[in-house]
Amino acid sequence: MSQRQVLQGVMSLLRPLLLDVVPTIQQTAALALGRLANYNDDLAEAVVKGDILPQLVYSLAEQNRFYKKAAAFVLRAVGKHSPQLAQAIVDCGALDTLVICLEDFDPGVKEAAAWALGYIARHNAELSQAVVDAGAVPLLVLCIQEPEVALKRIAASALSDISKHSPELAQTVVDAGAIAHLAQMILNPDAKLKRQILSALSQIAKHSVDLAEMVVEAEIFPVVLTCLKDKDEYVKKNASTLIREIAKHTPELSQLIVNAGGVAAVIDCIGSCKGNIRLPGIMMLGYVAAHSENLAMAVIISKGVPQLSLCLSEEPEDHIKAAAAWALGQIGRHTPEHARAVAVTNTLPVLLSLYMSTESSEDLQVKSKKAIKSILQKCTYLPALEPFLYDAPPNILKHVVGQFSKVLPHDSKARRLFVTSGGLKKVQEIKAEPGSLLQEYINSINNCYPEEIVRYYSPGYSETLLQRVDSYQPLAN
Amino acid sequence: MREAMATLARLQARSKAVGQQYYFRNSVVDVFRKKENDAAVKIQNWFRGCRVRAYIRHLHRAAIIVQKWWRSYLSRQHYQLVVKLAYYTMKMNLYNEMAVRIQRRWRGYKIRKYCFDYFYLKEYLRAVTETNDAIRDALEEFAEMKEREEKKAALEREEKKRDYQARKMHYLLSTKQIPGIYNSPFRKDPDPWELRLQKAKPLTHQRPRVKQKHSISLTSWLACTSNRSFPRSEILPPINRKQCQGPFRDIAEVLEQRYKPLEPTLREAEPINELKEAREDLRRQEWIRNVNDNMFLPFSSYHKNEKYVPSMHSSSKYGPNSYGCQRFRDENPKKWICPKEKETRSNMDHKNKGQVNTSLIFM
């Protein structure tokens, strides 16, 4: 506590130095203020309360470039902590001066101004709107075209922060012609720049179908797929986020991505990462498969299902497992072919165990239950269904038995296999209330077999036989 | 006359009886009359009734005929409408049925040919697999290329580092007297570092080079450092080289021409924002030199924006000092203008001349 008080005392000492005659002292004082405000949000509040901001804003308009950089650094440091502090900055009229700084010749000044604007716009939609109203967006788009890489990075990050809040803001960014420039820079070798560009494009594309189509029209495919092979993890993550946001809207966009070979690239990318980086890729596969059965079949033939089941089993975190379970459910729910493709990889027992385990979070349990249900309702691949007879809870058992009752009447080989594997025995042991759906299914299964076999496998048959032995009177010779 | 009187008396005697007889006979007749009257009334009653009833019957029949015709007219109209509606419904049903037949055929065809076209689906999935494989290969290649580039860059960096180290440590080179540390006599071959040290050029002490600005400043063209003044090629031509047989030009000439540096004209050599940079330069120098940054303004424009602030001397409450105002500039200059006519010049000259002459005479 005393340290903070000391630091606040320093703040009141620094303030008069800002008005000093010597320019170097002013710049250094501003830099010191900026670093203090950067460290802690209490200090940032002290900067705001100490009425330093109006002075900074006033001199930002007039002084030389070093002072401008330092002052913009202070504004950035104050504005990054919370929306209230950013609002305080907007209220003292800093936005106009920052936008004027964006037109300065020196790239360092532009970078500092763009950084401050980006941090202000990050918090919520009203602040973003205020930044846009100050006329920052066309200047940011100009900044992106500058040769300095650091400036490009910051400008892209600022555009991404502006457009992430609402479709109107994203439309404003698009109207300034940002998409073409952002799309050009995907090929830039700098990894951090690529991160920001991909993040900006995905924030634009996520709001509506039109915006996603405009992003696609900038011919990012198949170039974006090369970003999925980048060394930098976050580039991969942002690239798969972008593809996910595009695929999510309509079947046509997903079809476009599939036709460009995006699904294979995403699956390879999932295979090469671990943890949270994989999450957007998994969700993308789920979205693509959810649209239609042809797309789900395309995901299956691109060898997506083994990869997803690997994710399901080896990831430690629940939300990633939930996403993988959801994606598998979307793939398997369309037709028996799809369900078979999912069941063949032995994912159903894993899903069942996740559903039954008490350690899984609620979200994971709900998603895995839905996935199991939707896959089971179409699954006709009996070898995968049989383990379910043994350890499934009653609400899932109902579906399993239902599937058996649908398949067995028509397939004699399956009937034989059912008997020899002990499935019929298990079915007889199931207790069901008479008149319930489960009982009907059991009856229809029993009707497929001759009575003797059914009686043979029904529980307690040995007792009845022995009773018959007891009550049998041997024929007296 | 007596007879008359006797008849009168006889009549008077009979008058009472006549009166009574008259009354009696009238009353008896009256009863009959009443009876007959009643009978007649009854008969008339009945007859009138019949007559009215016949009339009403007649009216009834007429009304029935009118209503019959009117109702038949209305019903016929209604019937026409019903028939029209039924006909229309029948036609529409027929059309619907025919349309259903067409749609049924078309939908079956469409589904079978386009939506559930199994072969098309299989083709599509095969095409997708092929694209996937192609993309996977391309991405693999891309990744490999990146790897190679990175490795190359890393190797180059290593090489540069080693080179720099060799140049720094060149004094460890072995001499004839003393074998260097890398050239131990017990070794068969010298250490690779030895060879590197042999190749390395010794480092000279250099001041840390200030990073050159790309822009050519104004003053540099005077220093004769541009290519125009001392044209030189970067690569020196090789010495002691045998002249190739044949009609070849002198190799030094050729190399000089081939590697001639760019000599832009003065117009190209100067940057396009020369003027701007010159101004910036000037501004920077002035900023270094000047004590006061405010621009010097001429007095007129300086005073235009400023409100006049009177000096303390003139604005004190004890009144302005009379020293500067009253002694030198008087308030009523008319005091000094005399009201009488001015003498004409010729008179004055004359007077003056006279005076001068007199003064001269006296001298």
Side-chain angles (χ1 to χ4, degrees):
Chain A
M1 199 57 180
S2 66
Q3 195 186 28
R4 211 197 296 162
Q5 282 172 343
V6 162
L7 288 169
Q8 283 179 345
V10 166
M11 192 76 68
S12 55
L13 285 173
L14 280 173
R15 190 180 150 192
L17 289 178
L18 274 179
L19 306 164
D20 200 278
V21 171
V22 180
T24 322
I25 296 183
Q26 287 177 4
Q27 290 153 19
T28 324
L31 198 62
L33 273 171
R35 287 192 185 155
L36 283 171
N38 202 7
Y39 169 72
N40 190 348
D41 59 334
D42 285 326
L43 292 171
E45 244 183 86
V47 167
V48 171
K49 281 201 198 115
D51 243 356
I52 298 180
L53 290 178
Q55 172 59 36
L56 273 176
V57 168
Y58 173 67
S59 38
L60 196 62
E62 297 180 357
Q63 300 277 5
N64 63 6
R65 61 195 159 117
F66 302 106
Y67 189 83
K68 282 187 189 172
K69 271 197 254 190
F73 171 52
V74 176
L75 291 172
R76 167 187 19 136
V78 169
K80 83 173 189 194
H81 293 287
S82 79
Q84 289 79 19
L85 289 168
Q87 186 63 46
I89 292 187
V90 171
D91 288 336
C92 65
L95 284 180
D96 293 320
T97 22
L98 282 173
V99 167
I100 292 176
C101 282
L102 271 181
E103 292 176 316
D104 202 272
F105 292 114
D106 183 53
V109 172
K110 283 197 258 210
E111 185 183 328
W115 211 335
L117 287 168
Y119 273 21
I120 291 175
R122 191 176 278 196
H123 295 288
N124 60 29
E126 286 86 31
L127 289 164
S128 282
Q129 188 62 50
V131 170
V132 168
D133 288 336
V137 174
L139 292 167
L140 284 171
V141 173
L142 275 177
C143 282
I144 277 198
Q145 301 166 39
E146 297 280 331
E148 290 83 19
V149 174
L151 181 55
K152 286 202 233 236
R153 265 187 230 151
I154 305 294
S157 140
L159 285 173
S160 158
D161 286 331
I162 289 176
S163 48
K164 79 179 180 199
H165 297 286
S166 84
E168 291 80 28
L169 288 163
Q171 187 64 49
T172 320
V173 172
V174 167
D175 288 337
I179 290 189
H181 297 112
L182 289 171
Q184 267 174 3
M185 288 196 284
I186 292 184
L187 294 168
N188 198 298
D190 186 53
K192 290 192 177 154
L193 177 61
K194 273 198 272 212
R195 274 190 216 169
Q196 300 300 338
I197 300 243
L198 292 167
S199 151
L201 285 171
S202 64
Q203 302 290 4
I204 291 176
K206 79 177 185 196
H207 293 290
S208 79
V209 185
D210 296 319
L211 288 167
E213 278 179 4
M214 289 180 79
V215 172
V216 167
E217 272 165 27
E219 293 181 25
I220 51 174
F221 288 102
V223 179
V224 152
L225 303 178
T226 57
C227 295
L228 285 169
K229 276 283 186 186
D230 203 277
K231 289 243 166 21
D232 191 74
E233 298 284 317
Y234 286 98
V235 173
K236 284 199 239 191
K237 180 172 185 215
N238 287 353
S240 38
T241 311
L242 173 61
I243 302 183
R244 174 191 82 188
E245 300 296 352
I246 293 179
K248 156 169 113 167
H249 293 287
T250 68
E252 285 79 28
L253 284 168
S254 302
Q255 181 101 42
L256 195 132
I257 295 179
V258 168
N259 290 351
V263 173
V266 168
I267 292 173
D268 286 346
C269 174
I270 292 179
S272 64
C273 331
K274 293 258 175 290
N276 249 328
I277 314 285
R278 279 178 170 176
L279 184 62
I282 297 176
M283 290 178 73
M284 180 254 174
L285 291 175
Y287 281 126
V288 167
H291 284 299
S292 87
E293 54 182 65
N294 295 339
L295 289 169
M297 187 50 92
V299 172
I300 291 175
I301 59 167
S302 315
K303 307 188 186 64
V305 181
Q307 193 59 255
L308 282 173
S309 51
L310 209 63
C311 287
L312 190 65
S313 26
E314 63 176 32
E315 280 291 332
E317 295 204 11
D318 272 354
H319 62 273
I320 306 182
K321 284 207 225 226
W326 170 76
L328 283 167
Q330 294 300 327
I331 294 177
R333 74 181 166 97
H334 297 281
T335 71
E337 284 293 321
H338 296 79
R340 186 204 169 95
V342 175
V344 156
T345 56
N346 279 333
T347 36
L348 291 175
V350 180
L351 281 170
L352 185 66
S353 65
L354 282 172
Y355 169 55
M356 307 284 288
S357 125
T358 44
E359 290 168 354
S360 352
S361 65
E362 214 177 289
D363 183 47
L364 175 57
Q365 281 182 348
V366 162
K367 288 210 164 85
S368 40
K369 172 166 176 226
K370 264 191 168 173
I372 293 177
K373 259 194 163 163
S374 48
I375 295 176
L376 279 180
Q377 272 167 353
K378 296 281 172 160
C379 184
T380 55
Y381 184 60
L382 298 179
L385 288 181
E386 284 193 27
F388 272 76
L389 281 175
Y390 295 96
D391 32 326
N395 51 352
I396 295 189
L397 195 59
K398 178 169 68 175
H399 294 290
V400 177
V401 176
Q403 284 301 107
F404 273 112
S405 70
K406 279 183 211 153
V407 175
L408 287 178
H410 307 286
D411 193 354
S412 60
K413 276 209 209 103
R415 285 198 283 265
R416 194 192 161 90
L417 207 60
F418 191 55
V419 172
T420 51
S421 62
L424 190 58
K425 183 167 163 96
K426 186 68 178 72
V427 166
Q428 303 306 319
E429 286 165 14
I430 298 174
K431 286 194 195 31
E433 293 146 16
S436 74
L437 210 55
L438 190 54
Q439 188 62 41
E440 280 180 34
Y441 290 147
I442 295 180
N443 289 344
S444 53
I445 292 180
N446 291 343
N447 289 342
C448 307
Y449 290 99
E451 242 193 78
E452 297 97 28
I453 297 199
V454 175
R455 238 184 288 146
Y456 178 72
Y457 280 114
S458 51
Y461 187 62
S462 45
E463 277 83 46
T464 43
L465 276 181
L466 285 173
Q467 270 183 2
R468 278 186 70 189
V469 165
D470 286 334
S471 55
Y472 187 66
Q473 300 285 346
L475 291 171
N477 258 357
Chain B
M1 183 115 162
R2 237 187 268 150
E3 277 153 28
M5 294 271 309
T7 23
L8 182 64
R10 200 190 339 126
L11 280 172
Q12 272 184 345
R14 264 172 95 203
S15 71
K16 220 194 223 152
V18 164
Q20 275 183 344
Q21 273 283 316
Y22 179 70
Y23 175 72
F24 177 67
R25 282 189 186 168
N26 264 351
S27 66
V28 167
V29 166
D30 200 44
V31 172
F32 279 123
R33 191 192 61 81
K34 216 176 175 47
K35 220 162 116 184
E36 279 171 9
N37 199 22
D38 284 340
V41 162
K42 217 177 213 173
I43 293 171
Q44 284 176 6
N45 208 2
W46 189 266
F47 181 71
R48 283 199 181 111
C50 284
R51 214 171 56 175
V52 163
R53 252 174 265 134
Y55 182 59
I56 286 177
R57 229 178 297 138
H58 170 76
L59 282 182
H60 262 300
R61 280 197 212 113
I64 282 174
I65 291 177
V66 168
Q67 283 173 2
K68 176 178 81 173
W69 280 102
W70 175 249
R71 276 182 191 144
S72 70
Y73 168 71
L74 273 183
S75 316
R76 236 172 281 127
Q77 272 196 333
H78 178 69
Y79 168 72
Q80 274 176 358
L81 279 177
V82 163
V83 162
K84 226 198 258 186
L85 191 67
Y87 176 60
Y88 179 75
T89 321
M90 193 182 79
K91 268 206 300 194
M92 291 315 287
N93 283 346
L94 181 70
Y95 293 158
N96 283 346
E97 191 133 330
M98 294 302 119
V100 162
R101 275 191 211 172
I102 296 175
Q103 285 173 9
R104 193 182 358 194
R105 288 298 191 98
W106 162 250
R107 280 188 184 141
Y109 169 72
K110 180 182 90 151
I111 295 278
R112 265 176 233 121
K113 180 145 180 170
Y114 295 115
C115 299
F116 286 153
D117 189 353
Y118 182 70
F119 298 105
Y120 185 76
L121 178 70
K122 279 290 176 197
E123 259 307 304
Y124 172 69
L125 289 174
R126 196 181 61 84
V128 167
T129 351
E130 275 180 13
T131 323
N132 283 346
D133 290 332
I135 289 275
R136 278 189 172 128
D137 289 334
L139 287 179
E140 285 281 327
E141 247 187 69
F142 177 76
E144 260 177 55
M145 194 182 74
K146 282 243 125 134
E147 282 275 331
R148 264 185 275 138
E149 273 182 15
E150 259 202 47
K151 275 200 201 122
K152 215 169 76 166
L155 279 174
E156 269 181 21
R157 256 179 278 138
E158 276 290 316
E159 200 44 50
K160 261 181 84 172
K161 222 174 73 167
R162 283 206 199 106
D163 211 28
Y164 180 64
Q165 278 207 327
R167 288 183 75 184
K168 271 173 81 167
M169 301 194 303
H170 82 283
Y171 53 87
L172 295 173
L173 187 61
S174 58
T175 56
K176 252 192 174 166
Q177 292 283 334
I178 313 171
I181 54 171
Y182 294 118
N183 193 10
S184 152
F186 302 112
R187 288 172 70 99
K188 266 193 290 184
D189 308 309
D191 196 271
W193 269 107
E194 179 66 33
L195 299 166
R196 208 181 270 275
L197 287 173
Q198 280 175 2
K199 279 189 235 146
K201 202 174 78 164
L203 269 184
T204 51
H205 285 295
Q206 269 186 14
R207 239 178 241 130
R209 256 189 309 158
V210 173
K211 209 172 179 181
Q212 293 284 353
K213 258 203 249 175
H214 291 294
S215 60
I216 307 171
S217 64
L218 259 187
T219 50
S220 64
W221 71 278
L222 291 169
C224 292
T225 51
S226 77
N227 288 319
R228 197 185 265 278
S229 37
F230 295 114
R232 54 180 187 271
S233 59
E234 294 208 351
I235 303 177
L236 292 174
I239 47 178
N240 289 337
R241 200 181 153 107
K242 269 197 298 204
Q243 192 78 342
C244 299
Q245 204 181 18
F248 295 118
R249 285 173 60 191
D250 184 24
I251 189 124
E253 260 179 40
V254 166
L255 284 175
E256 196 183 291
Q257 279 189 359
R258 193 187 291 175
Y259 297 118
K260 193 155 85 167
L262 178 69
E263 292 174 12
T265 59
L266 197 65
R267 183 160 172 263
E268 309 295 324
E270 287 178 355
I272 198 162
N273 50 353
E274 176 74 69
L275 195 60
K276 210 184 269 184
E277 292 207 358
R279 286 194 185 131
E280 278 296 309
D281 224 18
L282 197 62
R283 207 178 290 152
R284 248 179 269 135
Q285 293 203 359
E286 289 198 329
W287 187 77
I288 298 169
R289 269 200 320 245
N290 294 344
V291 171
N292 190 1
D293 266 336
N294 294 334
M295 218 169 82
F296 176 74
L297 299 160
F299 291 110
S300 56
S301 52
Y302 180 70
H303 279 295
K304 271 189 203 140
N305 299 336
E306 277 197 17
K307 199 163 157 288
Y308 169 63
V309 178
S311 70
M312 261 181 68
H313 289 292
S314 50
S315 62
S316 76
K317 67 179 180 181
Y318 299 107
N321 201 351
S322 58
Y323 176 67
C325 318
Q326 276 183 357
R327 309 285 165 78
F328 300 144
R329 286 262 160 88
D330 235 325
E331 270 156 26
N332 39 355
K334 287 210 187 328
K335 202 161 81 172
W336 302 103
I337 301 178
C338 42
K340 49 181 180 169
E341 288 180 330
K342 268 210 212 159
E343 285 166 342
T344 59
R345 190 181 277 211
S346 52
N347 280 352
M348 281 200 63
D349 280 342
H350 220 54
K351 239 197 213 168
N352 282 348
K353 264 195 198 152
Q355 280 181 346
V356 165
N357 283 338
T358 46
S359 61
L360 274 172
I361 292 169
F362 278 158
M363 276 179 72

